[in-house]
Amino acid sequence: MGSLETSWATLPEARSPVLHLSHPTPGECQTVWKLSSLAWTDALSLPQYLDLAKDGVMTNWILTDKTLPPDQRPILCSCETFRKRTFLSDTGGNLSENIIHGVASVFCDPVLRRRGYGSRLMRELAEILRTFQAETTKSIGSVLYSDIGKKFYADLGWHPFPINTHIELDPSAAPDAPRATQLLPGNLERLCEEDEAMIRKELTSTSTTGKTRMVLVPDLDHMLWHHKKEGFVCEKLFGKKPQIKGAIVGQAGNRVWAIWTHRFYGDPESASSENTLYILRLVIENQATTGIRDAEQSERQVEQMKAILQAAQDEAAEWKLHRVLMWDPTPLVLELVGRTRIQHRRIEREHEGIASLLWYGEGSGKEDTLEWLGNEKYGWC
């Protein structure tokens, strides 16, 4: 029974004890996806969206009436969660691997909004995720990326990341630019493993800020989740999938690389669409931990960054995407991008893509006790 078919007179109040979270049946999933497709189909038709959603690697949740049987109960609100590997390092550099659940696609049928169902779902979910899928690995929190500003989810316990910044560049064909080497699908697993090893090494050092450090691990599963949707959408729109997944430049130990994804929100031919090449993960090897680099290394990294950005701009132009975005640039990245002299814009997000954390671990989980490192696009769900 979809929520559109439910009589208003029989709907329980948001505080009712008969409400609980449940996993939807296949039929109820179809109802959820059909309703939520109004917000999240991007450039797909409804049948195409349903085909993608039904094969997702995720857990589905609905807020519903526990006194009614499956497929005959109202769907008052819904969401999805994704289990994510996470590294945590205390002030002494003691590293542990934990899990965090990413929350996505929180959706309430428009005719059922302003009745408190969304808040009830999130409060119930916050408690369930403390122990969900944590039989062998501790759950230390939950993350989400709000597209409705900072207040709603903050009031429910998801503290907004203090800075949500991105760099935006225009697409540009650059045939005469210094060429970076293209990354193909077969290159990603090894690079993700090397990236993870570098992160482990960094986190086993003593914290210089006196705070606990947390990283959502930028593993292959994260990249494949984005690329699976990318491939599905592009196959439907263009009859082909992007084969270039990023770019790399330099010799081992002194490389810069980026992994990206193509995202189509609307008609590829529309000049007003926000179709975007997102840089999912940017890696700079051989970063001096003291912040001091010699002049030769500094100039090399500027040229490497320039080659990576131009490769991204060129790929965006090739696929008729209207912008390139890179989330959470570090001070070093901002410095290098500025010195490339490539025109770009630095934007602080206030309403969309607001990274927010509900913390189960020790301390407040806010910026006074915790550093959330690498708030890059790969972690978005």
Side-chain angles (χ1 to χ4, degrees), residues 12-21 63-64 66 76-77 115-126 152 156:
E13 293 186 357
R15 291 178 290 180
S16 172
V18 305
L19 296 187
H20 78 148
L21 286 192
L63 180 70
T64 189
K66 63 184 177 183
L76 304 174
C77 194
R115 296 172 62 92
Y117 292 139
S119 296
R120 175 65 183 271
L121 176 142
M122 296 304 292
R123 290 192 180 98
E124 296 270 340
L125 190 67
F152 177 79
L156 295 167

Short mmCIF file of all heavy atoms in Angstrom, two decimals, residues 12-21 63-64 66 76-77 115-126 152 156:
data_model
loop_
_atom_site.label_atom_id
_atom_site.label_comp_id
_atom_site.label_asym_id
_atom_site.label_seq_id
_atom_site.Cartn_x
_atom_site.Cartn_y
_atom_site.Cartn_z
N PRO A 12 -1.49 7.37 11.61
CA PRO A 12 -1.08 7.61 13.00
C PRO A 12 -0.29 8.90 13.11
O PRO A 12 0.35 9.35 12.15
CB PRO A 12 -0.22 6.40 13.33
CG PRO A 12 0.30 5.93 12.01
CD PRO A 12 -0.77 6.24 11.00
N GLU A 13 -0.30 9.49 14.30
CA GLU A 13 0.52 10.67 14.54
C GLU A 13 1.99 10.26 14.62
O GLU A 13 2.32 9.10 14.90
CB GLU A 13 0.09 11.36 15.82
CG GLU A 13 -1.30 11.96 15.76
CD GLU A 13 -1.62 12.77 17.00
OE1 GLU A 13 -0.76 12.79 17.93
OE2 GLU A 13 -2.70 13.36 17.05
N ALA A 14 2.88 11.22 14.40
CA ALA A 14 4.31 10.92 14.36
C ALA A 14 4.82 10.37 15.69
O ALA A 14 5.79 9.62 15.72
CB ALA A 14 5.10 12.18 13.98
N ARG A 15 4.16 10.72 16.80
CA ARG A 15 4.61 10.25 18.11
C ARG A 15 3.95 8.93 18.52
O ARG A 15 4.20 8.42 19.62
CB ARG A 15 4.35 11.31 19.16
CG ARG A 15 5.21 12.55 19.01
CD ARG A 15 4.88 13.60 20.04
NE ARG A 15 3.56 14.18 19.79
CZ ARG A 15 3.00 15.15 20.54
NH1 ARG A 15 3.66 15.58 21.62
NH2 ARG A 15 1.83 15.64 20.25
N SER A 16 3.13 8.37 17.66
CA SER A 16 2.38 7.17 18.01
C SER A 16 3.31 5.98 18.29
O SER A 16 4.28 5.75 17.56
CB SER A 16 1.42 6.80 16.88
OG SER A 16 0.83 5.53 17.12
N PRO A 17 3.00 5.18 19.32
CA PRO A 17 3.82 4.00 19.62
C PRO A 17 3.67 2.87 18.60
O PRO A 17 4.45 1.91 18.64
CB PRO A 17 3.30 3.56 21.00
CG PRO A 17 1.92 4.10 21.08
CD PRO A 17 1.95 5.40 20.33
N VAL A 18 2.70 2.97 17.69
CA VAL A 18 2.55 1.91 16.69
C VAL A 18 3.52 2.07 15.55
O VAL A 18 3.66 1.18 14.71
CB VAL A 18 1.10 1.85 16.13
CG1 VAL A 18 0.10 1.70 17.24
CG2 VAL A 18 0.78 3.06 15.26
N LEU A 19 4.22 3.20 15.49
CA LEU A 19 5.18 3.42 14.40
C LEU A 19 6.52 2.77 14.73
O LEU A 19 6.97 2.77 15.88
CB LEU A 19 5.39 4.91 14.15
CG LEU A 19 4.18 5.70 13.66
CD1 LEU A 19 4.59 7.12 13.31
CD2 LEU A 19 3.51 5.04 12.48
N HIS A 20 7.17 2.25 13.70
CA HIS A 20 8.52 1.70 13.85
C HIS A 20 9.20 1.68 12.50
O HIS A 20 8.58 1.91 11.46
CB HIS A 20 8.47 0.31 14.48
CG HIS A 20 8.08 -0.78 13.51
ND1 HIS A 20 8.55 -2.06 13.61
CD2 HIS A 20 7.26 -0.78 12.41
CE1 HIS A 20 8.05 -2.82 12.64
NE2 HIS A 20 7.28 -2.07 11.91
N LEU A 21 10.51 1.41 12.51
CA LEU A 21 11.26 1.27 11.27
C LEU A 21 11.24 -0.19 10.85
O LEU A 21 11.39 -1.10 11.66
CB LEU A 21 12.70 1.72 11.43
CG LEU A 21 12.97 3.22 11.53
CD1 LEU A 21 14.46 3.48 11.39
CD2 LEU A 21 12.19 4.00 10.50
N LEU A 63 9.42 4.03 7.57
CA LEU A 63 8.65 4.28 8.78
C LEU A 63 7.21 3.87 8.49
O LEU A 63 6.61 4.35 7.52
CB LEU A 63 8.71 5.76 9.16
CG LEU A 63 7.93 6.15 10.42
CD1 LEU A 63 8.62 5.59 11.67
CD2 LEU A 63 7.79 7.67 10.52
N THR A 64 6.68 2.98 9.30
CA THR A 64 5.36 2.44 8.99
C THR A 64 4.65 2.00 10.27
O THR A 64 5.19 2.14 11.39
CB THR A 64 5.49 1.26 8.01
OG1 THR A 64 4.19 0.89 7.56
CG2 THR A 64 6.19 0.08 8.64
N LYS A 66 3.41 -0.78 12.66
CA LYS A 66 3.80 -2.16 12.95
C LYS A 66 2.61 -3.08 13.21
O LYS A 66 2.79 -4.31 13.31
CB LYS A 66 4.75 -2.21 14.13
CG LYS A 66 4.18 -1.71 15.45
CD LYS A 66 5.28 -1.74 16.51
CE LYS A 66 4.80 -1.18 17.84
NZ LYS A 66 5.87 -1.13 18.85
N LEU A 76 5.24 5.93 5.39
CA LEU A 76 5.14 7.30 5.85
C LEU A 76 6.41 8.11 5.56
O LEU A 76 6.35 9.32 5.39
CB LEU A 76 4.86 7.31 7.35
CG LEU A 76 3.59 6.53 7.76
CD1 LEU A 76 3.47 6.48 9.27
CD2 LEU A 76 2.35 7.15 7.13
N CYS A 77 7.54 7.43 5.52
CA CYS A 77 8.81 8.06 5.19
C CYS A 77 9.80 6.94 4.89
O CYS A 77 9.58 5.80 5.32
CB CYS A 77 9.30 8.92 6.36
SG CYS A 77 10.64 10.08 5.94
N ARG A 115 4.11 16.58 9.01
CA ARG A 115 3.42 15.82 10.05
C ARG A 115 4.41 15.18 11.03
O ARG A 115 4.00 14.47 11.94
CB ARG A 115 2.55 14.74 9.41
CG ARG A 115 1.42 15.28 8.54
CD ARG A 115 0.71 14.16 7.79
NE ARG A 115 0.08 13.21 8.68
CZ ARG A 115 -1.19 13.29 9.10
NH1 ARG A 115 -1.95 14.32 8.73
NH2 ARG A 115 -1.70 12.37 9.90
N GLY A 116 5.71 15.44 10.83
CA GLY A 116 6.71 14.95 11.76
C GLY A 116 7.26 13.58 11.46
O GLY A 116 8.06 13.02 12.23
N TYR A 117 6.87 12.99 10.32
CA TYR A 117 7.31 11.63 10.01
C TYR A 117 8.82 11.57 9.73
O TYR A 117 9.49 10.60 10.10
CB TYR A 117 6.54 11.07 8.82
CG TYR A 117 5.08 10.82 9.10
CD1 TYR A 117 4.09 11.15 8.15
CD2 TYR A 117 4.66 10.27 10.31
CE1 TYR A 117 2.75 10.92 8.41
CE2 TYR A 117 3.31 10.05 10.56
CZ TYR A 117 2.36 10.38 9.60
OH TYR A 117 1.03 10.16 9.86
N GLY A 118 9.34 12.59 9.06
CA GLY A 118 10.77 12.59 8.77
C GLY A 118 11.61 12.62 10.04
O GLY A 118 12.60 11.89 10.18
N SER A 119 11.21 13.46 10.98
CA SER A 119 11.93 13.55 12.25
C SER A 119 11.84 12.24 13.02
O SER A 119 12.82 11.78 13.62
CB SER A 119 11.37 14.70 13.10
OG SER A 119 11.58 15.94 12.46
N ARG A 120 10.65 11.61 13.02
CA ARG A 120 10.48 10.34 13.73
C ARG A 120 11.37 9.26 13.13
O ARG A 120 12.03 8.49 13.84
CB ARG A 120 9.01 9.91 13.69
CG ARG A 120 8.73 8.53 14.30
CD ARG A 120 8.99 8.49 15.80
NE ARG A 120 8.79 7.15 16.35
CZ ARG A 120 7.63 6.68 16.81
NH1 ARG A 120 6.55 7.47 16.82
NH2 ARG A 120 7.54 5.46 17.29
N LEU A 121 11.41 9.20 11.78
CA LEU A 121 12.26 8.21 11.12
C LEU A 121 13.72 8.40 11.52
O LEU A 121 14.41 7.44 11.85
CB LEU A 121 12.11 8.31 9.60
CG LEU A 121 13.03 7.40 8.77
CD1 LEU A 121 12.28 6.86 7.55
CD2 LEU A 121 14.28 8.11 8.29
N MET A 122 14.20 9.63 11.52
CA MET A 122 15.60 9.87 11.79
C MET A 122 15.95 9.59 13.26
O MET A 122 17.04 9.09 13.56
CB MET A 122 15.98 11.31 11.43
CG MET A 122 15.85 11.63 9.93
SD MET A 122 16.83 10.52 8.88
CE MET A 122 18.49 11.00 9.30
N ARG A 123 15.04 9.88 14.18
CA ARG A 123 15.30 9.57 15.58
C ARG A 123 15.37 8.06 15.80
O ARG A 123 16.22 7.56 16.54
CB ARG A 123 14.22 10.19 16.45
CG ARG A 123 14.29 11.72 16.54
CD ARG A 123 13.39 12.26 17.64
NE ARG A 123 13.48 13.72 17.71
CZ ARG A 123 12.62 14.55 17.16
NH1 ARG A 123 11.58 14.06 16.49
NH2 ARG A 123 12.77 15.84 17.26
N GLU A 124 14.45 7.34 15.18
CA GLU A 124 14.47 5.88 15.28
C GLU A 124 15.76 5.32 14.66
O GLU A 124 16.41 4.42 15.21
CB GLU A 124 13.26 5.29 14.56
CG GLU A 124 11.92 5.66 15.16
CD GLU A 124 11.46 4.67 16.21
OE1 GLU A 124 11.96 3.53 16.23
OE2 GLU A 124 10.60 5.06 17.04
N LEU A 125 16.13 5.86 13.50
CA LEU A 125 17.31 5.38 12.79
C LEU A 125 18.58 5.63 13.60
O LEU A 125 19.48 4.78 13.64
CB LEU A 125 17.40 6.05 11.43
CG LEU A 125 18.45 5.49 10.46
CD1 LEU A 125 18.08 4.08 10.02
CD2 LEU A 125 18.58 6.42 9.23
N ALA A 126 18.64 6.79 14.24
CA ALA A 126 19.83 7.14 15.03
C ALA A 126 20.11 6.09 16.10
O ALA A 126 21.28 5.75 16.37
CB ALA A 126 19.65 8.51 15.67
N PHE A 152 17.79 21.32 10.10
CA PHE A 152 16.88 20.19 10.31
C PHE A 152 17.62 18.99 10.89
O PHE A 152 17.24 18.44 11.93
CB PHE A 152 16.18 19.81 9.01
CG PHE A 152 15.28 18.60 9.14
CD1 PHE A 152 14.02 18.73 9.71
CD2 PHE A 152 15.69 17.35 8.70
CE1 PHE A 152 13.18 17.63 9.84
CE2 PHE A 152 14.86 16.23 8.83
CZ PHE A 152 13.60 16.38 9.41
N LEU A 156 18.38 17.02 14.98
CA LEU A 156 18.18 15.60 15.23
C LEU A 156 19.48 14.89 15.63
O LEU A 156 19.49 13.67 15.79
CB LEU A 156 17.60 14.94 13.99
CG LEU A 156 16.19 15.42 13.61
CD1 LEU A 156 15.83 14.95 12.19
CD2 LEU A 156 15.16 14.91 14.60
#
